[in-house]
Each structure stands twice: as C-alpha cells, then as structure tokens.
Amino acid sequence: MTGSPHVRRPATLASLAAELGVSRTTVSNAYNRPDQLSAPLRERVLEAARRLGYPGPDPVARSLRTRRAGAVGLLLTEALSYAFRDPGATGFLEGLALACEKAGTGLLLVPVSPEHSEVDAVYQAGVDGFVVYSVSEDDPHFQAVLQRPLPTVVCDQPTGIAGVDRVGVDDRAGMQTLGRHLVELGHRRVGVLCMRLGGQRHDGPADELRQKNSSYSVQRERLAGLRDAFAEAGVAWSDIPVFERFEHTTDAGAAGTAQMLEAHPDITALVCTSDILAVGALGEARERGIRVPEDLSVAGFDGIPEADRLGLTTVRQPFREKGREAGRLLLERGDRNTPEHLTLPTELVPGTTCRELRQSGEFFSGW
Amino acid sequence: MTGSPHVRRPATLASLAAELGVSRTTVSNAYNRPDQLSAPLRERVLEAARRLGYPGPDPVARSLRTRRAGAVGLLLTEALSYAFRDPGATGFLEGLALACEKAGTGLLLVPVSPEHSEVDAVYQAGVDGFVVYSVSEDDPHFQAVLQRPLPTVVCDQPTGIAGVDRVGVDDRAGMQTLGRHLVELGHRRVGVLCMRLGGQRHDGPADELRQKNSSYSVQRERLAGLRDAFAEAGVAWSDIPVFERFEHTTDAGAAGTAQMLEAHPDITALVCTSDILAVGALGEARERGIRVPEDLSVAGFDGIPEADRLGLTTVRQPFREKGREAGRLLLERGDRNTPEHLTLPTELVPGTTCRELRQSGEFFSGW
DNA sequence: ATGAAAGCGCTAACAT
DNA sequence: ATGTTAGCGCTTTCAT
C-alpha cells in the first residue's frame, strides 16, 4: 500500500505546468478533457503529477470556478446522530443515498446539534441544493436554508413553503383510514399518544389549542385524520384524550402510555401517531399485565420493520421512496421554476394488536 | 415563511461593498469578525445584505481562501445506501455523527456505487479529512483517498497502512474467546460461515489458501482467532469447514447455512463471523425444523441489537464508540505526525443459542 | 493542439 | 476602525 504522511498539498496545477513547461490549460485539460490534447502529452502530465505527488485539481478551487459543489446538503431534525437511530429517517436516508449514488453526488450531513443553535453550519455548507427532512416550521436551520439561493426539497414538513419542492404522504387520510378501522372494530373510547407538537419540551395532555397551534404539520394532520374518522362515528374529538411526548423513543412511548392509562383507564384502544411510540406502548402494557389486544388495542403509524415483526396494526408509508423521490426532485430538476409536490401512498396494515369489541356491548352498537 | 424562487446568487460580497461604499474587508468583517467594526456600521452592512438578498459569504469561496472545508468525508464499503441497512455501520455512523456535531463539522458521504467504479467522487470531495469504514485493502476508492493529501483514519480495515490512524477491535482475540467458549461447551465438530473474503463474488467453501489471501483483514483475523481456540483443543483447522458468502444479509446467512448443513450435517455448532449471517442461520434452522440450541448451536459476532433480542451468543463490539473515536482522531488531531492506533474492547455475550454438549459423548470428553 | 488572460468570491496581512 | 493589496487553485473563452 501507499502511505505518505499526508501533509500539505505538495503541488498545484500551476506548479506542475511550470515544471513541465506547459500552460495551466494543458494540465487542466489532461484531467478534464483528455480529448483536447495528444495522448503522449497527457501521459507526460500524468506521469509528472504522480512523480510530484499532485493529487489532481483541488476540488474546492474547481467548485468555485465551476459553481458546482457536487454535493447536496441534508438537514435533519434533532441532532444529526439521532437520524441513525430512527428507522424512518434511516429508510429515508437509504433512498436518498441511492439517488445520490446514481447521480454521483455527495451527501453532506449538516451538523445540527441541540447545543449549538447557531445556524452557521447551514451557511458553511458547500452544496448545490438542500434536502430538508421533517423539521419544524420555525426551525432556524430551515430558515437559514431558505436564505441560501439554492434549490430545496422538503420531505414531510414543513408544508406550503413557497418555491420549494415537497415530497410526503397524506398523513391525514392515512390516519383517517386507521381511525375508521378502529371505529369499525367497535372502538369509541380511545386515547391518543402523539409526538412533540412544539419546540419546547412538553410531556402530558395536549389540549385542542395546542394541537391546532403545533408547528409540526405531520402531527397536526394525523390528529386531524383521527378526528375526522371519529367524528363520522359521532365521537366528539373533545372526548378523546391526547397525550404528547417530546422525545421520540420507545421509552417515551412507554411513559406516555403509563400516563394515559392512569388518567384514562377506561379506553379500549390507544392510537399512537408513530410506531416507535406504539412499540413503547406495547412494552408498557406487558409491564402492567395488560393484554394486547384482549384488554387494550394498540395502533401505530409509519410501518417500520419492528412494527412488522411485532404484528402492530399501523399505517405504512414508503420511507425509502420518499428519499429516492426527494433526491430525484433535487438532482434531476431541469430548469423548472415551478415547485413540485409529490404525495406518496400509504397503506393500512391491520396487525394483531387491535381486536374487535364484541362482548362489551357498552361501547359497541353495531347490531 | 420566506419563499424566494431560489435562483442564482443575487449579490456578492464585492457588490455589497460597492453598494455601501465600503471596502470588501469591512463587509467580510461584518460576518467573520464583528469586533473589528463598529456596531452601527455592521448593522448597516447586514441590513443592506438583507435588502439585496445577499446570503452571506459564499462557502466555497471561503473554503478556497481559508483552506478549510468544514467537513469530513466518509468512505464506506459497498454502495452508500447499504450502510443504512447494516446495523453495525449505522451504529458507527451515529458515533461519527456525534463527533461531527460536537465539532460543528459536516459529514460528507462519498457516493460509491457498485456500477460506477470511477474514483472520481473521492477526488471531488471538498473535505478536510477522510474516515474510511471497513473497506478492502485493494479498494480503488481507498487508494484514491490515500492520494489526497489529507489526514485519514481507518476503521477496522485495512490495517497497517502507513501514516494513517486506525480504530478497531481485536477481532482475533474476540473470536478466540468465542471459540474457547464453544470448546468449553464441548463442541469439536463445528462449521464456520464467514463474510466475503475477496472482491469477486464467491459463495461456498473457502479453503485455507483463500482464507489466508483474503483482502479483508477483519475476516482473516476472526477466522484466525477461531483457529487458535480450536487448535488449543487439538482440533485441526483443516477439519473445520469454512463457507463464505458474498452478500452480507440474513438471506445470505440462511443460504450459507443450508449449504453448510447439506455438506456437513454432523456439525454441532455453526459459528458465523457476523450477527447478520447468524440471524439468517437461525431462520434457516427454524425452517428446517432444526432446534437451536438443542440440535445445533449458533454463534455470531458483532453484538447488533437484533442479536440481543434473539438471545444470540455473540461477541459484542462497540460500534458507536468506534465512530466517536474515529471522529475524535480526525477532528482533534493537533499537529501530530505519528499515526495513532486505537483498539477498543470486545465482550463475549453468552446467549441462549449455544448449549453444552452432554449426552452425545461422541464429541465430548470432559469428564 | 496549446497558450494567455481573466476571473470565480472570498480572506488575511499589512497599512492607515 | 477601515481600506489596499494579494492571492487561494482552478477553468474557460478566445487566440494562435
């Protein structure tokens, strides 16, 4: 193997040209336009480069000149490292990476730590465009992205940003379908456990005002879909307790479930607005000796692999495709000016965690 | 929200300076050294910037000037997108991302698709250093990384590259511990299922020559550790069948297991050099009505979360810490010239998939 | 087929 | 506290 100490750039295109007694153009052409010079001359250049340890044109200088960075930036919610623990984000990343590979484009993960609230990193990113994955409407990093004169595509949220492409799913319709499913099974007294609705930490009941004012449209929409479904069955939304959790982890799901069950022990079903939370709910139920689905039905949203393994009733959404489409939208945009909006399909996945209410005629009135 | 059509850079530092009738330095200082100019002047500059839609200094131009890209490049085996499906790689990424966040550095995923074998992407990457995750010794992309005059840290493999930092685990010792564990349980007739040993697709038996010539030191070392352990028990390595799989998936693990069991139905234990393969082995065993561990013991290596859930006997290695350390090595290197080599600890995790051989005195001789 | 000239947009000495 | 001067390393017309 090779093995230089990797110090400082030992040669430049200019020094190489000088050494060889040719012009910079010629050296540049040797790398970028092999057809613009004779084969022997090109070989001479490349040989000299090898000898002098010239690693080829400096990418930054080239980018400045060509106005192409050859990379797209990715802005994620939360800390960057969180993305690798969230199955949804991971799936999205996989799809996006696929698109980047195909285009030979780099993928720059913009460092967003909770501590540093500076948006500096966004302004520092040498990229040709941005993909934004599911951030709050008022996320300062996102606002910084909008300042940069670069094409941008948003996945999921925020929605309705002028001049910006978006790919997502119909969260409201998806959740409505799930809600109807529960209604059909006879459930009328349900609880809802949702993800964070605001930037400030809040764990506990979320009233309707809070729901409505949420800066996360995905959560707003999912709640609205559920409301729609139960309204159809004559159940007022104000009668359905909604609990919120700031963290998106199974632990948070468990804690939220505990809180819900203590406050509302009479619910027959617990709907979680994400599978992660639902997985936590299943754990908490087991912990408490509550049988699912005999004593309590549990449903999620997302369709992550673990949901599948556990037989969780959920709504599946195509994470990988969202990533692929986001990449495609960014990388294959011609000189389109009009923003595109892509809505991918979701699918109700009935599992084994929701049961039909038969005996307890109390809440069942279908006969 | 904002919402400009995001076209071309509308203004530059120079045009802003001209507009304001100040020097470029002053504008530059307004962004980079607020203490170098009066507050009112700075505000005037920033206000004009807002008015003209100047998004702040161009990151590429700044990088060229400062010789800092503010990002580290990451080179992964396989396709970039594969990394997001491999739990080990994901854990590593999480740790690395953590380190990057902390340093406010971007993380550029270098696009490496199987199709494009061009190493172009490596030369195009505007980064301050590279992290290389577990690639083959003769990987052309890796060779390209070595050409770039940048600090580089390798995780796992290849080993022994001059002038390059490395972080990894003692794969040989880890596997030796696992081997001894199996020996103590009485296993003498074992089969081994390992990951790819070369760049060419090969699925099936791997003879000793092939093992020895493998361009993947991690696999070489793990096999050697197993050999050591069984040699201590008087079992010749040549008596232990080693099967190789090119793909690293549970399906490949299942297929390899099938092949192994057909060729060597008499083994009492199957050692896989990765948990992914072992998970596949468990599936295949179930498929065939072979009880684990009653009829067959199965062991893995890595300690991925799923192994934990399944109670797989394995050797756990600290993926996240490897990522963190790799980042630290790259980002916090002073002006050190001597390469550092970090070896993190592994831990034997006895699960429920390996049993002690009692009855079948045939292979047991401990009393 | 090769070269000369003109920047890409910015920062960092070094003045003043 | 602000301005002047020199590039960072490269690509790209446009000549020859």
Side-chain angles (χ1 to χ4, degrees):
Chain A
M1 297 309 103
T2 327
S4 61
H6 295 130
V7 281
R8 47 179 63 261
R9 180 160 279 264
T12 70
L13 187 142
S15 73
L16 226 194
E19 173 82 13
L20 281 162
V22 300
S23 79
R24 302 202 293 283
T25 309
T26 299
V27 177
S28 176
N29 284 338
Y31 285 95
N32 304 316
R33 311 204 170 152
D35 51 313
Q36 295 296 297
L37 73 178
S38 63
L41 178 54
R42 173 154 194 262
E43 199 32 66
R44 247 183 74 213
V45 172
L46 264 33
E47 192 282 319
R50 235 168 286 136
R51 186 161 43 76
L52 294 174
Y54 177 66
D58 180 291
V60 174
R62 160 186 279 161
S63 284
L64 175 58
R65 182 61 238 237
T66 61
R67 310 268 61 202
R68 269 202 82 250
V72 314
L74 175 60
L75 182 68
L76 293 151
T77 357
E78 300 262 341
L80 173 50
S81 53
Y82 168 75
F84 299 110
R85 267 178 285 135
D86 181 44
T90 307
F92 177 80
L93 269 165
E94 188 189 330
L96 180 56
L98 227 41
C100 288
E101 263 166 36
K102 202 171 136 201
T105 303
L107 183 57
L108 181 73
L109 308 183
V110 178
V112 174
S113 81
E115 296 123 61
H116 303 251
S117 78
E118 315 138 18
V119 296
D120 251 47
V122 172
Y123 289 113
Q124 301 280 30
V127 297
D128 301 317
F130 278 100
V131 172
V132 175
Y133 182 71
S134 200
V135 308
S136 154
E137 282 158 13
D138 44 23
D139 184 302
H141 295 276
F142 175 58
Q143 293 303 320
V145 165
L146 291 179
Q147 297 313 307
R148 302 248 344 230
L150 295 173
T152 297
V153 24
V154 165
C155 179
D156 288 345
Q157 49 190 5
T159 55
I161 307 299
V164 166
D165 294 340
R166 177 191 182 244
V167 42
V169 299
D170 189 337
D171 289 289
R172 184 166 184 165
M175 195 52 122
Q176 191 174 15
T177 306
L178 176 62
R180 282 175 178 157
H181 177 64
L182 290 168
V183 164
E184 273 166 29
L185 291 177
H187 295 277
R188 294 295 180 276
R189 195 157 292 181
V190 305
V192 179
L193 183 55
C194 72
M195 290 168 59
R196 86 171 55 153
L197 298 175
Q200 304 294 319
R201 167 165 233 112
H202 174 81
D203 292 295
D207 61 27
E208 288 189 62
L209 182 64
R210 181 167 178 83
Q211 294 169 32
K212 189 173 167 176
N213 288 339
S214 172
S215 50
Y216 293 93
S217 60
V218 168
Q219 294 299 304
R220 280 200 318 259
E221 291 289 299
R222 292 186 188 174
L223 292 173
L226 216 46
R227 188 188 58 210
D228 294 347
F230 279 94
E232 289 169 5
V235 179
W237 187 242
S238 53
D239 290 340
I240 297 182
V242 176
F243 280 63
E244 167 184 357
R245 279 285 145 174
F246 188 75
E247 302 285 350
H248 188 223
T249 60
T250 54
D251 280 355
T257 302
Q259 205 177 12
M260 174 69 78
L261 291 175
E262 245 129 68
H264 302 275
D266 59 331
I267 58 172
T268 63
L270 177 62
V271 181
C272 303
T273 64
S274 88
D275 284 351
I276 294 273
L277 294 176
V279 169
L282 293 178
E284 180 65 18
R286 182 162 358 95
E287 200 76 11
R288 294 177 165 244
I290 295 175
R291 294 166 305 163
V292 174
E294 291 78 3
D295 304 329
L296 180 71
S297 289
V298 173
F301 198 111
D302 281 346
I304 64 174
E306 189 163 5
D308 210 43
R309 281 195 293 270
L310 296 173
L312 181 70
T313 293
T314 188
V315 176
R316 180 179 298 144
Q317 61 164 315
F319 286 108
R320 220 172 57 214
E321 273 56 49
K322 287 200 295 185
R324 260 227 291 267
E325 290 300 325
R328 198 182 55 74
L329 246 35
L330 196 56
L331 297 167
E332 294 174 21
R333 57 157 39 216
D335 3 298
R336 149 170 81 75
N337 309 312
T338 56
E340 285 206 17
H341 291 226
L342 239 62
T343 301
L344 272 40
T346 60
E347 178 195 3
L348 175 67
V349 183
T352 57
T353 59
C354 289
R355 72 142 187 170
E356 182 157 11
L357 285 188
R358 291 177 188 278
Q359 7 278 77
S360 61
E362 187 183 354
F363 306 120
F364 187 62
S365 54
W367 306 98
Chain B
M1 297 308 104
T2 327
S4 61
H6 295 128
V7 280
R8 49 179 59 261
R9 180 160 280 265
T12 70
L13 187 142
S15 73
L16 226 195
E19 173 82 14
L20 281 162
V22 301
S23 80
R24 302 202 294 284
T25 308
T26 299
V27 178
S28 177
N29 283 338
Y31 285 95
N32 304 316
R33 311 208 170 149
D35 52 312
Q36 295 296 297
L37 73 177
S38 62
L41 177 55
R42 173 152 194 264
E43 199 32 65
R44 247 184 74 215
V45 172
L46 263 32
E47 192 281 319
R50 236 169 285 136
R51 186 162 43 76
L52 294 174
Y54 176 66
D58 180 290
V60 173
R62 162 186 276 162
S63 284
L64 175 58
R65 183 62 237 235
T66 61
R67 310 269 59 202
R68 267 202 83 252
V72 312
L74 176 59
L75 183 67
L76 292 152
T77 357
E78 300 262 341
L80 175 49
S81 53
Y82 168 76
F84 300 109
R85 267 178 285 136
D86 180 43
T90 307
F92 177 82
L93 269 165
E94 187 189 332
L96 180 56
L98 228 41
C100 288
E101 263 166 37
K102 203 172 136 200
T105 304
L107 183 55
L108 180 74
L109 307 183
V110 178
V112 174
S113 80
E115 297 123 60
H116 302 251
S117 78
E118 315 138 19
V119 296
D120 251 47
V122 171
Y123 289 114
Q124 301 279 30
V127 296
D128 301 318
F130 277 100
V131 172
V132 175
Y133 182 71
S134 201
V135 308
S136 153
E137 283 158 14
D138 44 24
D139 184 302
H141 295 276
F142 175 59
Q143 294 303 321
V145 165
L146 292 179
Q147 298 312 305
R148 302 249 342 231
L150 295 173
T152 297
V153 23
V154 165
C155 179
D156 288 345
Q157 50 192 3
T159 54
I161 307 300
V164 166
D165 294 340
R166 178 190 182 246
V167 41
V169 299
D170 190 336
D171 289 288
R172 184 166 185 164
M175 195 51 121
Q176 190 174 17
T177 306
L178 177 60
R180 282 174 176 155
H181 177 64
L182 290 169
V183 164
E184 272 165 29
L185 290 177
H187 295 277
R188 294 295 180 276
R189 197 157 291 183
V190 306
V192 179
L193 183 55
C194 71
M195 290 169 60
R196 87 171 55 152
L197 299 176
Q200 303 295 320
R201 168 166 231 111
H202 174 81
D203 293 296
D207 61 27
E208 288 190 60
L209 182 64
R210 182 167 178 83
Q211 294 170 33
K212 188 173 167 179
N213 288 339
S214 172
S215 50
Y216 292 94
S217 61
V218 167
Q219 293 299 304
R220 279 199 319 258
E221 292 289 299
R222 290 186 188 174
L223 292 174
L226 216 47
R227 188 188 58 210
D228 295 347
F230 280 94
E232 289 169 6
V235 179
W237 187 243
S238 53
D239 289 341
I240 297 182
V242 176
F243 280 61
E244 169 185 355
R245 278 284 145 175
F246 187 76
E247 301 286 349
H248 188 223
T249 60
T250 52
D251 280 353
T257 302
Q259 205 177 14
M260 173 68 79
L261 291 175
E262 245 130 70
H264 302 275
D266 59 331
I267 58 172
T268 63
L270 177 63
V271 180
C272 302
T273 64
S274 87
D275 284 352
I276 295 274
L277 294 177
V279 169
L282 293 178
E284 180 65 18
R286 182 164 357 96
E287 199 76 12
R288 295 179 164 243
I290 295 175
R291 295 166 304 163
V292 174
E294 291 79 3
D295 306 327
L296 179 71
S297 289
V298 173
F301 198 111
D302 281 346
I304 64 174
E306 189 162 4
D308 211 42
R309 282 195 293 270
L310 297 173
L312 181 69
T313 293
T314 188
V315 175
R316 180 179 299 144
Q317 60 163 317
F319 286 109
R320 220 173 56 216
E321 272 57 49
K322 288 201 294 185
R324 261 229 291 266
E325 290 299 326
R328 199 182 54 74
L329 246 34
L330 196 56
L331 297 167
E332 294 175 22
R333 56 156 40 214
D335 2 298
R336 152 169 80 75
N337 306 312
T338 57
E340 284 206 17
H341 292 227
L342 240 61
T343 301
L344 273 41
T346 61
E347 178 196 3
L348 175 67
V349 183
T352 57
T353 59
C354 290
R355 72 142 187 168
E356 183 157 10
L357 284 190
R358 291 177 189 279
Q359 6 280 77
S360 60
E362 186 183 354
F363 308 120
F364 187 63
S365 54
W367 306 98

